[in-house]
Amino acid sequence: MIGLRLRQLVFASIIALIAYVFLANVMFPASMGMALDSYSLTIVGKYLCFAILAVALDLVWGYCGILSLGHAAFFSLGGYAMGMYLMRQIGERGTYGHPVLPDFMVFLNWEQLPWFWYGFDAFWFAGLMIFFAPGILAFVFGWFAFRSRVSGVYLSIITQALTYALMLAFFRNEMGFGGNNGLTDFKDLLGYPLTSDGVRVWLMLSSGLALLLSLFLCQKLLATKFGRVLVAVRDSESRTRFLGYRVEHFKLVAFVMSAMIAGLAGALYVPQVGIINPGEFSPLASIEVVVWVALGGRGSLYGAALGAIVVNAAKTFFTGFYPEAWLFFLGAMFVISTLYLPRGILGALEDLAQQVRGKAPKLSQEGLS
Amino acid sequence: MIPVTRSVLYLDGLSVSFDGFKALNNLSIDLAPGELRAVIGPNGAGKSTMMDVVTGKTRPDEGTALFLGSHDLTVLDETEIANLGIGRKFQKPSVIETLTVEENLELALAGNRSPWQAIMQILRPQDRRSMNEVASRVGLTDALDQLGGALSHGQKQWLEIGMLLLQEPKVLLVDEPAAGMTDSETLKTAELLKSLAGEHTVMVVEHDMEFVEALGCKVTVLHEGRVLAEGSLPHVSSNNEVIDVYLGR
Amino acid sequence: MVRVGSFIFSLFFLFQVASAQTFDQGQALADASLKEKAVWMEKLASDDSEEATRILQYWLDGILVYWPQENRLVRGIKEGRRYQLQDLMTEEALGAVSSREIDRVKTNNSLRSALKQVLGSRQLGSSDRNVRLSAIAELKRRPDYKVLPLLKKREASEQDDQVARQLSELIGLVLLESAEANDQMEGLRRISGGLSPEVKDSLSRFLLNPNLDPGVVEVAQRELDAITRSLMYWGIGQDLFFGLSLGSVLLLAAIGLAITFGVMGVINMAHGEFIMLGAYTTFVIQQWIPATSMWSLLISIPTAFVVSGTAGIILERLVIRHLYGRPLETLLATFGVSLILQQLVRTVFGPLNQSVVTPDLLSGALDINAAFSVTYNRLFVIAFALCVLVTLWGVMQRTPFGVRVRAVTMNRGMASSMGVQTQRVDALAFGLGSGIAGMGGVALSQLTNVGPNLGQSYIVDSFMVVVFGGVGNLFGTVFAALSLGMANKMLEPLSGAVLAKILILVFIILFIQKRPRGLFALKGRAAED
């Protein structure tokens, strides 16, 4: 759909970014003055994580037609899994000095670590949970939702309800996830202090690599027959059933994969921003992800990544200089992208490029509802 | 389960109502293996609803629907029924518009339908051959790279027929195949369907009387959700009730 | 000689200008330790005079002050760093002094409770029945056997029925404190049938006493069981009432959504903001017409309808119309509009909640008994929702417009080919739905705080109602709204507000598996898109 050249352009830009940071921050000494400072590193790292999340959503929305309005829930679950590992790494260095219990548990007068915290002191376990927790939730939710053939707007609403319920739950202190303060005050990751420049650089680079990996894997997947079935499900679900395909299973596979990628994004995000709290589960957070993908160009993967970076850059700009205007801008972005940019920025660029080249525009989609 | 009938498709006493309107009213019809049957009737007679019941899209309020004498169509869903070997070509051409002709055909290929297989699968040479064969049979060899949505109405119909063929179904339900086709295309389609009978069982719903004549098979006339008359075309054309309801004087 | 002298001295004080006070131990009182203060309080308590009452009252209020310069007790109200002094009896202003020049007579918690009790007993004799009632209520909190004679004396002369009943109950509670079985039995008899929490607590405490007569224990236990049972039933009734009022709010909020979704298949994420606009309309009208009058509210209702309705029509024309047939895009675009509206309100009115005042007519409650009271504002909301419902039903069933709306809901294509101008119906239906939301906002403003985020709290609930009840059927929406409202309120005391919400959400998610189109969905091929 979206021109090959544009995709390659985005891909190349990401590689260029990673290469630059690698050279400037890691290989050449700081005296060269080209290195990114820690603030910029964190910001770029955040953007890259958001891009991964956007790609994950594009997989189920752009290619399979499932408008998930609760995808930030999977992101947050991955984030919490990483957060729990990082909390356990604090050990005795917390304010209360308890070797096992995190501060907030001591504060609540808890005696023991709850059972679901076991194992998180080991990185490999946390690493597994980063994928498992969102994956299992996606599996259970998707199993029930897709089997009952809930679709379209109804499905979107219940994904909102899901993330809303999770938000309410995680806000409660009794749940054992830090309540409304969330998990924070992390010290180190795999033995390396989070505040050190070296770790920041590697986290950012990892985010970039993870983004490339996600793009690569998703693209490979979508190039197989599986990808074509997904498109068929998106555009003619009923017809696909009559062709003999178990639509529910295909949706489920795509949904679970997407959730796991989102979880990865969350896990890389948390050590870079230093905190995870239940606000990440808020319905608005998930809907913002949708704007990234819609604006960038859904159904292209690269457009989604682009959209995530562009919108978040705008957010950083606005909240820094004109905080009141940010929500106006965001709201306007929703309206404009749905009314005038049905294929997003990438799609608009492609149409432009084709007009310049003098070709007739390709078969235009009426929107991919 | 021991087959209770030798009919390939056995529908008995089917009734379906939508909010008070009886779309099917004690409908009974059966198809013998390898038979070619034409179903005609005025609009609203229940032809499409009957197909909906057979393919699992609609559940009847009453009645029996058996495939191969043992599979109960009233409890299976669309996917299961399609995989059992009942293929349908829709009234409105419904190919996947955003995939190419080739990709549409690939999807229709008979075979394992699981997600894992779809990820792993590489197209085998014999599959490619089948696809090319069918493509040429339906006259779309030159259009393989075109998007389904870019095809003309007639081409879409043919693509759908092609997809149906690749599914290798035991029963073909064809809903108004001649709609929107030129005269020569119509003849071609009739020939194709006739050639399919024998190996497959084919039920054709049509309005075009010339097309039905060209098929030269047994005809069932539906009216208000039930069978009004059955027999050869000349036979039903001379039936007074049929004339009153449908054919006119 | 000295004694005569002090007598004359005190007489002199006594016969000074009528406003002069006779209490001259101010310094002693101010300097006394807490224990000594308690003794002083007892002394003052036994003094029946108006002066003693005032001293005790101001002491309780924390404005009793000793003025060494004049060697007297005065009222002292703190203003900044100085104290405004007033005469104890006449409240005549005596000037302002710095805090260094006076000595506040302090209290602590136990003194305060004791003071309350003493003052309570005094107020028993007040000519104002409300004062007597509140005195009795205060005394019920800590029944003191010592005041029994005072109470009995009062009972003999009490004329007002309601006060007499309360007094009898109080005496009953006091009698329970006695060690005598006869007193206890009479006490039990008197409190029988009472439903206030004080009665229940006293009974429970009473039963903890190991020295009770078995006969007494039996009666007491029976009374306690009876009260517990009654309280439970009335509690359920109260929850049902709250559930009904919440359900009414949900109904007003959701019915607009059901209309727009039914007619156009569009989920309007800005719906919550239309509710919010209605609430703010009420606030704005209150700035011109004082809120205490019922007119303010009555005018707000149609105004909010027009404001939100117009906003709805504008939204439909500018945005939704262009996204026809693409429900998911519409969802996103309206979400954007919702953000814009919220921020607009925040910019114009500020991010903080605004207070919307309840008119006098609707303030207060009907207390059926101690365990069940019906607040007028909730009653209003329920009645209002009912009116709206009936009117809407009338419009839908009996007017040509309503017929057109229903036709388009059921089968747009067919309606269009029969000459119904679907575009106009869309715009008007959208306006209708949004207008009702606005009126819902007016109702909501009477129950809760009005802020820019008001819409967000109710949008999820409205969706749940629409999803649960199905679309195209007014009755379905009513049923869903009321049952979800009740369910929420019934669960709350058991599990807490948050968990109740979560449970209901989970229930809806599961419910949708069974009935993807809601409880009362339209059937048939036409509705199946």
Side-chain angles (χ1 to χ4, degrees):
Chain A
M1 246 193 293
I2 306 293
L4 198 57
R5 294 238 195 92
L6 283 170
R7 293 188 206 212
Q8 289 169 337
L9 200 63
V10 177
F11 198 80
S13 319
I14 300 172
I15 294 188
L17 178 67
I18 294 177
Y20 177 83
V21 172
F22 183 68
L23 291 173
N25 281 56
V26 180
M27 294 302 282
F28 296 121
S31 54
M32 298 282 283
M34 287 191 316
L36 288 178
D37 59 293
S38 49
Y39 175 72
S40 308
L41 280 173
T42 309
I43 291 265
V44 173
K46 267 176 62 174
Y47 291 171
L48 291 169
C49 291
F50 287 145
I52 300 174
L53 176 58
V55 168
L57 180 65
D58 199 21
L59 179 64
V60 287
W61 182 27
Y63 288 93
C64 197
I66 302 171
L67 177 57
S68 163
L69 291 180
H71 240 58
F74 302 126
F75 180 85
S76 309
L77 282 175
Y80 264 92
M82 173 63 93
M84 285 161 79
Y85 163 75
L86 292 172
M87 281 305 261
R88 297 228 32 203
Q89 292 301 302
I90 299 178
E92 286 172 350
R93 290 171 291 174
T95 315
Y96 292 103
H98 197 291
V100 176
L101 292 183
D103 282 343
F104 73 89
M105 289 191 196
V106 177
F107 183 72
L108 288 172
N109 288 324
W110 286 13
E111 313 266 310
Q112 272 190 337
L113 208 58
W115 62 269
F116 46 86
W117 277 76
Y118 291 166
F120 275 95
D121 50 340
F123 186 71
W124 65 266
F125 182 80
L128 270 181
M129 289 310 280
I130 286 172
F131 292 104
F132 257 46
I136 291 181
L137 177 68
F139 185 81
V140 172
F141 178 80
W143 174 260
F144 286 113
F146 302 142
R147 273 185 77 222
S148 67
R149 309 231 184 146
V150 177
S151 64
V153 178
Y154 282 111
L155 180 62
S156 303
I157 292 177
I158 54 172
T159 55
Q160 273 269 281
L162 178 70
T163 193
Y164 184 66
L166 279 171
M167 179 182 84
L168 291 177
F170 271 75
F171 261 117
R172 303 184 78 216
N173 284 327
E174 304 81 57
M175 281 281 280
F177 289 106
N180 57 343
N181 290 322
L183 305 176
T184 184
D185 279 341
F186 308 128
K187 303 281 181 240
D188 49 46
L189 171 71
L190 289 172
Y192 299 103
L194 282 178
T195 44
S196 80
D197 274 345
V199 168
R200 280 195 211 280
V201 171
W202 282 109
L203 279 173
M204 192 231 105
L205 289 175
S206 308
S207 309
L209 286 172
L211 177 59
L212 290 175
L213 194 65
S214 313
L215 285 167
F216 180 72
L217 277 177
C218 285
Q219 192 159 25
K220 273 268 165 270
L221 180 69
L222 291 168
T224 65
K225 184 172 163 188
F226 180 82
R228 294 191 273 278
V229 176
L230 281 191
V231 170
V233 167
R234 181 193 71 196
D235 292 332
S236 308
E237 180 170 325
S238 179
R239 188 72 185 89
T240 315
R241 261 187 244 275
F242 283 115
L243 281 170
Y245 287 96
R246 234 327 127 219
V247 163
E248 297 78 59
H249 291 180
F250 279 83
K251 284 184 174 175
L252 197 58
V253 170
F255 198 63
V256 171
M257 282 193 185
S258 166
M260 295 203 281
I261 296 174
L264 176 66
L268 286 168
Y269 174 82
V270 167
Q272 296 190 67
V273 296
I275 181 171
I276 176 86
N277 66 32
E280 301 285 348
F281 282 107
S282 84
L284 179 58
S286 291
I287 298 188
E288 270 189 56
V289 181
V290 171
V291 145
W292 305 340
V293 176
L295 196 62
R298 97 183 90 123
S300 66
L301 295 180
Y302 294 88
L306 184 67
I309 294 175
V310 165
V311 176
N312 278 291
K315 184 175 188 176
T316 310
F317 170 72
F318 274 103
T319 50
F321 297 106
Y322 306 111
E324 293 241 318
W326 161 241
L327 281 178
F328 279 125
F329 177 77
L330 185 63
M333 277 303 104
F334 271 100
V335 180
I336 289 173
S337 69
T338 48
L339 281 179
Y340 302 115
L341 295 171
R343 298 199 302 143
I345 294 178
L346 222 55
L349 284 177
E350 187 190 56
D351 287 341
L352 204 64
Q354 285 198 321
Q355 280 191 354
V356 164
R357 263 185 265 140
K359 280 194 217 160
K362 263 186 163 178
L363 176 75
S364 68
Q365 271 89 30
E366 266 287 307
L368 303 166
S369 291
Chain B
M1 199 177 138
I2 303 169
V4 301
T5 164
R6 262 178 295 168
S7 309
V8 154
L9 207 55
Y10 177 75
L11 309 178
D12 185 32
L14 284 179
S15 289
V16 175
S17 49
F18 294 121
D19 259 348
F21 168 67
K22 257 201 157 166
L24 292 184
N25 189 358
N26 200 10
L27 175 78
S28 298
I29 191 174
D30 71 305
L31 297 183
E35 187 183 343
L36 173 63
R37 177 81 66 92
V39 177
I40 64 176
N43 273 326
K47 309 190 290 290
S48 293
T49 312
M50 173 184 62
M51 287 202 176
D52 284 346
V53 171
V54 171
T55 52
K57 188 159 177 242
T58 308
R59 298 262 172 262
D61 301 325
E62 288 164 11
T64 318
L66 293 176
F67 176 58
L68 292 178
S70 52
H71 298 282
D72 186 353
L73 296 173
T74 60
V75 301
L76 299 170
D77 75 3
E78 297 100 316
T79 308
E80 286 162 325
I81 294 177
N83 283 326
L84 276 178
I86 297 184
R88 180 175 179 178
K89 186 206 139 332
F90 289 81
Q91 196 173 341
K92 208 166 78 77
S94 53
V95 299
I96 315 291
E97 311 236 327
T98 41
L99 292 177
T100 64
V101 170
E102 185 170 20
E103 289 167 340
N104 268 282
L105 291 173
E106 184 197 5
L107 278 186
L109 270 176
N112 191 320
R113 293 283 199 250
S114 82
W116 306 118
Q117 198 266 352
I119 298 176
M120 295 296 146
Q121 181 203 29
I122 309 172
L123 217 49
R124 298 170 304 174
Q126 60 256 53
D127 293 325
R128 237 184 221 293
R129 257 179 308 186
S130 315
M131 282 163 59
N132 288 330
E133 251 179 64
V134 168
S136 73
R137 204 165 171 190
V138 296
L140 288 172
T141 319
D142 294 326
L144 281 176
D145 280 329
Q146 280 193 41
L147 285 181
L151 297 177
S152 74
H153 178 88
Q155 282 178 312
K156 283 187 195 169
Q157 297 264 40
W158 277 102
L159 176 57
E160 240 197 295
I161 294 177
M163 285 164 73
L164 200 54
L165 291 176
L166 281 170
Q167 271 178 271
E168 292 176 25
K170 299 194 182 73
V171 173
L172 278 87
L173 303 172
V174 189
D175 203 341
E176 296 194 34
M181 284 199 183
T182 64
D183 285 343
S184 60
E185 285 174 341
T186 310
L187 269 173
K188 250 181 88 181
T189 313
E191 288 311 314
L192 175 64
L193 292 176
K194 275 161 74 174
S195 71
L196 288 174
E199 253 183 71
H200 313 267
T201 311
V202 183
M203 183 198 283
V204 180
V205 165
E206 246 315 328
H207 277 301
D208 186 336
M209 284 303 129
E210 278 184 27
F211 185 80
V212 175
E213 222 180 314
L215 286 179
C217 60
K218 186 168 169 189
V219 173
T220 304
V221 184
L222 291 188
H223 174 59
E224 288 179 352
R226 57 186 166 73
V227 173
L228 189 60
E230 213 166 68
S232 69
L233 187 59
H235 174 82
V236 300
S237 307
S238 53
N239 180 314
N240 282 323
E241 272 188 276
V242 173
I243 293 173
D244 281 337
V245 158
Y246 189 39
L247 294 174
R249 294 189 180 277
Chain C
M1 194 57 198
V2 175
R3 200 176 284 181
V4 171
S6 19
F7 179 69
I8 295 176
F9 202 57
S10 24
L11 278 182
F12 173 67
F13 268 79
L14 198 62
F15 291 124
Q16 273 222 334
V17 186
S19 60
Q21 62 192 60
T22 58
F23 187 82
D24 59 347
Q25 308 286 2
Q27 181 172 25
L29 180 57
D31 292 340
S33 72
L34 286 169
K35 247 203 268 200
E36 289 165 356
K37 280 205 174 85
V39 173
W40 274 109
M41 194 201 65
E42 299 271 319
K43 264 206 212 153
L44 284 163
S46 54
D47 179 346
D48 260 340
S49 70
E50 169 67 18
E51 184 189 14
T53 307
R54 285 185 178 244
I55 292 178
L56 288 169
Q57 183 66 57
Y58 297 150
W59 191 2
L60 175 61
D61 293 339
I63 55 178
L64 186 65
V65 149
Y66 172 65
W67 197 7
Q69 181 187 320
E70 306 252 321
N71 188 27
R72 61 198 268 221
L73 289 173
V74 291
R75 250 166 77 121
I77 308 209
K78 194 164 197 281
E79 260 179 38
R81 295 233 177 117
R82 301 169 75 73
Y83 279 81
Q84 293 288 350
L85 301 182
Q86 292 165 339
D87 185 278
L88 266 185
M89 301 301 287
T90 63
E91 297 180 24
E92 179 196 331
L94 298 170
V97 298
S98 81
S99 49
R100 263 176 285 120
E101 293 170 55
I102 50 98
D103 220 341
R104 252 190 66 212
V105 182
K106 300 196 190 66
T107 63
N108 68 355
N109 279 338
S110 61
L111 270 177
R112 252 193 290 267
S113 341
L115 280 167
K116 277 193 207 168
Q117 292 270 306
V118 168
L119 284 164
S121 325
R122 284 169 178 267
Q123 284 162 337
L124 278 179
S126 164
S127 47
D128 182 350
R129 74 188 280 275
N130 286 327
V131 171
R132 297 205 295 281
L133 279 173
S134 64
I136 294 174
E138 188 60 51
L139 286 170
K140 275 193 193 171
R141 290 206 193 134
R142 288 227 268 163
D144 186 1
Y145 193 66
K146 286 185 286 218
V147 304
L148 186 59
L150 175 64
L151 294 175
K152 286 226 157 141
K153 197 171 76 169
R154 184 64 224 155
E155 188 175 33
S157 52
E158 181 56 64
Q159 304 280 19
D160 186 304
D161 278 338
Q162 192 186 357
V163 179
R165 254 181 287 123
Q166 294 290 321
L167 191 53
S168 177
E169 198 173 273
L170 172 59
I171 293 177
L173 286 174
V174 163
L175 283 170
L176 282 183
E177 302 290 318
S178 152
E180 294 286 319
N182 287 332
D183 279 346
Q184 291 166 351
M185 283 303 272
E186 191 194 335
L188 286 173
R189 187 183 51 79
R190 280 176 182 261
I191 64 171
S192 176
L195 284 176
S196 59
E198 291 92 14
V199 171
K200 182 161 182 268
D201 288 339
S202 289
L203 261 182
S204 314
R205 254 183 308 120
F206 178 67
L207 279 168
L208 291 175
N209 186 344
N211 300 326
L212 294 174
D213 213 36
V216 174
V217 169
E218 194 192 315
V219 175
Q221 190 63 54
R222 216 188 10 198
E223 288 300 325
L224 184 59
D225 290 340
I227 289 182
T228 314
R229 238 200 329 265
S230 288
L231 279 178
M232 187 183 72
Y233 289 141
W234 286 108
I236 293 178
Q238 182 85 80
D239 287 335
L240 276 176
F241 176 66
F242 282 144
L244 196 60
S245 89
L246 177 62
S248 304
V249 172
L250 281 181
L251 181 64
L252 289 170
I255 211 156
L257 201 64
I259 292 177
T260 52
F261 188 54
V263 173
M264 301 167 73
V266 157
I267 284 281
N268 174 16
M269 296 287 280
H271 189 80
E273 275 58 50
F274 291 147
I275 299 176
M276 188 252 297
L277 283 180
Y280 268 93
T281 308
T282 320
F283 172 70
V284 166
I285 300 241
Q286 277 190 352
Q287 308 306 305
W288 292 329
I289 306 178
T292 46
S293 133
M294 194 63 183
W295 284 111
S296 180
L297 197 61
L298 289 177
I299 293 187
S300 303
I301 295 173
T303 318
F305 183 82
V306 168
V307 167
S308 291
T310 315
I313 294 184
I314 294 178
L315 179 64
E316 201 275 331
R317 292 259 125 156
L318 287 184
V319 176
I320 296 183
R321 165 157 315 195
H322 302 290
L323 295 172
Y324 178 69
R326 293 148 64 184
L328 294 181
E329 264 89 338
T330 317
L331 191 147
L332 293 178
T334 52
F335 186 78
V337 171
S338 135
L339 289 179
I340 293 176
L341 282 175
Q342 279 183 57
Q343 190 59 22
L344 199 64
V345 167
R346 236 175 250 132
T347 313
V348 170
F349 290 97
L352 299 172
N353 289 346
Q354 303 290 352
S355 60
V356 171
V357 177
T358 311
D360 288 340
L361 196 64
L362 296 181
S363 309
L366 185 66
D367 287 319
I368 309 239
N369 60 35
F372 186 58
S373 78
V374 169
T375 45
Y376 291 133
N377 57 354
R378 283 184 196 271
L379 211 52
F380 170 74
V381 167
I382 295 174
F384 180 61
L386 199 61
C387 286
V388 170
L389 188 64
V390 169
T391 317
L392 189 63
W393 185 87
V395 166
M396 282 297 180
Q397 298 292 121
R398 300 265 185 261
T399 66
F401 170 67
V403 172
R404 279 188 229 119
V405 168
R406 280 186 297 138
V408 173
T409 308
M410 288 187 222
N411 193 331
R412 178 175 284 261
M414 208 52 210
S416 170
S417 40
M418 286 175 77
V420 175
Q421 289 181 301
T422 50
Q423 296 219 326
R424 267 196 76 191
V425 171
D426 285 346
L428 289 176
F430 212 81
L432 178 66
S434 310
I436 295 180
M439 295 201 293
V442 174
L444 209 50
S445 71
Q446 298 302 302
L447 297 182
T448 181
N449 295 325
V450 172
N453 292 334
L454 183 67
Q456 294 303 296
S457 336
Y458 284 90
I459 191 84
V460 174
D461 292 317
S462 307
F463 284 159
M464 292 301 117
V465 169
V466 171
V467 155
F468 182 48
V471 143
N473 190 332
L474 207 59
F475 180 64
T477 317
V478 173
F479 182 80
L482 289 180
S483 45
L484 284 183
M486 301 266 196
N488 199 314
K489 283 295 164 188
M490 300 305 279
L491 280 177
E492 250 180 44
L494 296 173
S495 63
V498 168
L499 202 53
K501 200 154 218 149
I502 296 178
L503 284 174
I504 293 193
L505 284 171
V506 169
F507 164 72
I508 300 271
I509 294 178
L510 292 176
F511 172 80
I512 245 195
Q513 318 296 323
K514 285 278 154 215
R515 298 279 226 124
R517 306 247 147 217
L519 264 181
F520 297 93
L522 289 176
K523 283 173 271 201
R525 281 177 80 188
E528 233 169 65
D529 307 314

